[in-house]
Amino acid sequence: MGSGCSRRSNSKTGPAKENSDKLKNSKIIFVVGGPGSGKGTQCEKIVHQYGYTHLSTGDLLRAEVSSGSERGKHLSAIMEKGELVPLDTVLDMLKEAMIAKADTSKGYLIDGYPREVKQGEEFEKKIGPPSLLLYIDAGSDTMVKRLLKRGETSGRADDNEATIKKRLETYYKATEPVIAMYEGRGIVRKINAEGSVDDVFKQVSTALDALK
């Protein structure tokens, strides 16, 4: 099915091609960090200071489902079965969201993505290569503490120690090969996320300012 799709899209000229060109020289930043690393907070600060567009695949999926569109209904059915949304669909949604902002955005923060090497490879085929991978790295003890603290107020059932440790294990297993792949290209900037929000942001700013 996949190869058939790509053949079809290649034969398209006009608007589709023009739209892809809009993303040609965009700054694309992958932002990777475990649960409790403070990744979301750093993304907010980057948006505020740099005028980047913050895109999270989870947010895009939720928005599509709540829109009640045909695609949203289809996605809802997949997720209700506990199945994973096809990678092609996720990438189509990311690309559409990026093109929609192409005329005004200074760059794109792709949050929590790619979670595995294949996702990174497909993203590059369909959209383009990242300029940078920001690795928001907090130690697992720090992340456990932060998530437990959040659990006290959030009431989230998955914020208990055993579940948190399992989530972190899954995260590390999936993310290490991704980071290794982009380290090979020299575009990973590892940010020590143990300090205060402002300390962490200073490191993030240094990495982003070097892109100019």
Side-chain angles (χ1 to χ4, degrees):
M1 189 188 85
S3 58
C5 289
S6 59
R7 269 204 302 278
R8 272 206 303 280
S9 60
N10 287 346
S11 63
K12 275 187 196 163
T13 50
K17 172 84 176 76
E18 209 174 282
N19 282 341
S20 295
D21 287 349
K22 279 186 175 184
L23 300 176
K24 266 267 159 60
N25 300 309
S26 300
K27 286 178 186 165
I28 297 173
I29 319 290
F30 286 160
V31 187
V32 175
S37 62
K39 178 168 60 70
T41 305
Q42 293 303 320
C43 284
E44 281 168 26
K45 289 180 80 69
I46 296 168
V47 169
H48 182 68
Q49 182 140 334
Y50 291 89
Y52 282 22
T53 301
H54 179 206
L55 295 171
S56 145
T57 51
D59 290 348
L60 287 172
L61 288 169
R62 281 187 286 275
E64 188 74 35
V65 167
S66 61
S67 76
S69 68
E70 275 311 308
R71 182 164 67 182
K73 286 176 194 155
H74 178 61
L75 291 172
S76 183
I78 291 171
M79 291 190 284
E80 273 165 24
K81 287 185 209 153
E83 291 170 6
L84 287 177
V85 173
L87 182 53
D88 264 0
T89 307
V90 173
L91 288 174
D92 283 342
M93 290 166 73
L94 268 175
K95 189 173 185 176
E96 285 163 24
M98 289 168 80
I99 288 167
K101 300 277 188 180
D103 296 329
T104 54
S105 186
K106 304 261 169 55
Y108 299 95
L109 295 175
I110 312 296
D111 179 359
Y113 192 95
R115 285 173 191 262
E116 50 188 48
V117 168
K118 183 174 186 288
Q119 290 181 348
E121 290 169 348
E122 291 299 319
F123 181 100
E124 293 190 37
K125 273 186 216 158
K126 214 164 203 182
I127 299 170
S131 319
L132 198 66
L133 183 146
L134 277 180
Y135 177 26
I136 312 291
D137 182 38
S140 53
D141 287 351
T142 302
M143 291 196 274
V144 168
K145 265 190 217 126
R146 286 178 185 170
L147 291 170
L148 285 172
K149 197 168 173 38
R150 189 179 78 185
E152 289 166 17
T153 51
S154 73
R156 277 177 56 160
D158 59 353
D159 282 346
N160 64 70
E161 196 157 348
T163 313
I164 289 167
K165 286 192 166 150
K166 202 165 276 177
R167 278 164 68 200
L168 288 177
E169 212 172 283
T170 306
Y171 159 74
Y172 281 121
K173 207 173 277 177
T175 311
E176 276 165 10
V178 172
I179 289 162
M181 173 167 94
Y182 290 108
E183 260 173 353
R185 289 192 207 169
I187 62 166
V188 173
R189 298 293 173 272
K190 195 170 181 177
I191 307 295
N192 179 343
E194 294 284 334
S196 71
V197 169
D198 289 338
D199 285 343
V200 176
F201 190 60
K202 270 183 203 146
Q203 299 173 66
V204 168
S205 296
T206 303
L208 293 180
D209 292 344
L211 279 178
K212 287 177 182 171

